[in-house]
Amino acid sequence: MAKINRLKSILVEKNRTNLWLASQLRVNPTTVSKWCTNSSQPDILMMLRIAQLLDIGIKDFYDDSIVEQYEVWQQ
């Protein structure tokens, strides 16, 4: 499975847990777990909420390989 987002790593860096994030977002912990394993992705509005809660930029949310692909597409 492709690594699209860095949510699991970011949670570790911020000393936060899946359960904390699920509670803050009022979603099922299983949903956050799926995002952390990249088996599913949050929608754009949810990503904005996650970025705000974790004090990160949207670009920081994505794996470097995804960011690089996007930058190539922009050229």
Side-chain angles (χ1 to χ4, degrees):
M1 185 166 308
K3 183 175 179 186
I4 298 172
N5 74 61
R6 299 184 52 248
L7 185 55
K8 185 175 182 177
S9 300
I10 294 166
L11 287 172
V12 169
E13 291 166 12
K14 300 287 186 172
N15 292 318
R16 298 294 185 180
T17 65
N18 293 16
L19 291 176
W20 174 84
L21 187 58
S23 171
Q24 296 297 306
L25 297 171
R26 296 185 176 148
V27 299
N28 191 302
T30 303
T31 301
V32 175
S33 179
K34 288 178 181 180
W35 296 339
C36 286
T37 60
N38 281 280
S39 60
S40 71
Q41 300 300 316
D43 65 37
I44 188 67
L45 295 177
M46 190 62 74
M47 281 191 299
L48 291 170
R49 290 175 62 195
I50 293 168
Q52 184 178 31
L53 283 169
L54 296 174
D55 193 30
I56 61 169
I58 291 294
K59 194 173 177 180
D60 300 326
F61 185 78
Y62 291 101
D63 187 68
D64 288 340
S65 63
I66 298 298
V67 173
E68 289 170 9
Q69 286 178 11
Y70 175 76
E71 289 171 349
V72 167
W73 296 333
Q74 292 297 308
Q75 296 176 357

